[in-house]
Amino acid sequence: MPPRMTDSNRSLLTLRGLDAATLTALLDRTESLLPVAQGIERMSKTDAGAMVGLLFLENSTRTRCSFETALHRLGHHPVSLTGQGSSVGKGESLTDTAANIAAMGVRALVVRTSYSGGADLVARVTGVPTINAGDGRHEHPTQGLLDASTLLAHLGSLRGKRILIVGDILNSRVARSNIHALATLGATVVLVGPPSLVPWVFAEFGPTIEISHDLDAVLESADAVMMLRIQLERDAGKSVSSDYRMAFGMTSSRASRLPEGVPVLHPGPINRGVELDDEVAADLARCLVLEQVSRGVAARMAILERALVLNARIK
Ligand code: CP
């Protein structure tokens, strides 16, 4: 099938190059949708009823359920498909799968795949507005948006703030999306981890990106700390020593060294006792993991609105 053009204004494939005005508009809309995301207020149903394909060909709990919740809150309908139980298990390709779901008349596609660049490929092949829900090591833009929303709620502004991202940067699509979003919003991003997982090449992401292989040396300079999981499914464990927790984990002892009000984030799922101690995860005043999830529903509503409202406008 020849590639077809898609309207890049309706797709969200990457946060790289997304201008500050668009990012800020999505974050503002996220904030205003929070009461709806939490079920306190309801949407008017005038534009409701769109079908949206959720293609989750790689495992997910938060992102998939968050998109389903967001669609229900907006009055739209998910058409869900996972790798297990679908014809992907018989060897059907990502693009053939997406083209078939698109042919059923869905108004947008949400794609998670282990293939870096897979969401972009789906957008080009189907011509349907496509939202990247995590593609391999490439990007996880909706996670980047919900993380920025959470940080803004606690820090007010990100301009001039130092945000530490700690852990398996090499394999992390979350890190890549956050680097782009946080830098666009004016923050300095400090990437922290062992050299095997934080190679110097990441400094080339931009002038406000710093690299450190010593968490204790930079910990107390942080305005916020984002812990990342070791991506065991991408074989990252092979390059991580058994001393990882002592060198790069957010232990209770390290958390106690953080100034008051400095939040700890984690995209989930947590490898408890590796990158985050149980006591730190349980401190909900400090650790914003569940707030990130709550905000994720509103962020995905804002992103879906962008895809679907513009779609409706061109009818
Ligand atoms: N943060 C995140 O993407 O979690 P899931 O893999 O559970 O969707």
Side-chain angles (χ1 to χ4, degrees):
M1 181 183 298
R4 290 161 52 189
M5 294 299 291
T6 188
D7 184 339
S8 58
N9 287 330
R10 289 179 286 158
S11 290
L12 184 68
L13 304 170
T14 170
L15 293 185
R16 184 177 186 180
L18 197 70
D19 60 89
T22 304
L23 191 54
T24 302
L26 281 169
L27 288 163
D28 288 347
R29 187 61 181 154
T30 296
E31 198 64 33
S32 62
L33 285 167
L34 265 179
V36 184
Q38 291 162 357
I40 298 163
E41 292 175 13
R42 284 170 176 256
M43 297 292 287
S44 115
K45 299 285 185 193
T46 42
D47 292 327
M51 308 288 275
V52 173
L54 304 185
L55 277 50
F56 276 76
L57 307 188
E58 196 185 54
N59 294 346
S60 170
T61 295
R62 280 146 290 270
T63 312
R64 181 178 164 207
C65 294
S66 180
F67 267 110
E68 287 196 6
T69 305
L71 283 166
H72 287 301
R73 294 291 193 212
L74 289 167
H76 301 308
H77 309 296
V79 179
S80 278
L81 181 145
T82 60
Q84 283 183 338
S86 71
S87 290
V88 174
K90 301 179 202 165
E92 190 164 27
S93 73
L94 170 65
T95 50
D96 278 345
T97 302
N100 277 270
I101 300 299
M104 294 174 197
V106 298
R107 305 292 294 271
L109 291 165
V110 177
V111 176
R112 167 162 295 194
T113 170
S114 58
Y115 171 34
S116 299
D120 183 70
L121 193 59
V122 165
R124 284 189 286 123
V125 166
T126 64
V128 171
T130 300
I131 298 168
N132 180 1
D135 61 334
R137 293 176 175 83
H138 172 228
E139 276 216 40
H140 195 346
T142 67
Q143 180 75 40
L145 189 71
L146 75 89
D147 288 338
S149 169
T150 308
L151 286 165
L152 280 170
H154 286 263
L155 303 181
S157 160
L158 300 189
R159 190 147 297 282
K161 298 290 193 319
R162 278 175 74 78
I163 314 295
L164 271 53
I165 305 182
V166 184
D168 181 6
I169 310 295
L170 180 68
N171 294 297
S172 177
R173 54 197 177 205
V174 175
R176 287 168 175 79
S177 287
N178 267 289
I179 289 168
H180 298 312
L182 300 178
T184 300
L185 295 169
T188 294
V189 180
V190 188
L191 304 175
V192 189
S196 57
L197 297 180
V198 190
W200 287 104
V201 69
F202 276 89
E204 292 173 12
F205 270 61
T208 58
I209 310 303
E210 298 178 14
I211 305 280
S212 171
H213 302 307
D214 185 348
L215 176 57
D216 290 312
V218 294
L219 186 67
E220 284 156 43
S221 72
D223 292 296
V225 185
M226 185 179 298
M227 304 303 297
L228 296 182
R229 56 188 294 272
I230 298 293
Q231 307 254 310
L232 300 171
E233 69 275 27
R234 303 197 203 290
D235 288 341
K238 289 178 185 161
S239 56
V240 172
S241 82
S242 56
D243 298 328
Y244 180 86
R245 173 179 168 273
M246 288 317 297
F248 296 104
M250 184 55 72
T251 59
S252 299
S253 151
R254 278 203 182 93
S256 70
R257 286 175 47 209
L258 288 171
E260 191 162 339
V262 172
V264 173
L265 290 79
H266 192 298
I270 301 169
N271 295 311
R272 287 176 177 264
V274 181
E275 66 263 2
L276 209 58
D277 277 8
D278 282 342
E279 297 77 14
V280 182
D283 178 3
L284 297 185
R286 168 89 75 191
C287 185
L288 307 182
V289 174
L290 295 180
E291 181 177 339
Q292 288 170 265
V293 174
S294 296
R295 286 182 170 272
V297 177
R300 285 162 182 135
M301 289 174 72
I303 291 162
L304 285 162
E305 271 189 342
R306 179 172 175 262
L308 296 169
V309 167
L310 287 175
N311 209 21
R313 205 179 284 161
I314 62 163
K315 261 203 287 195

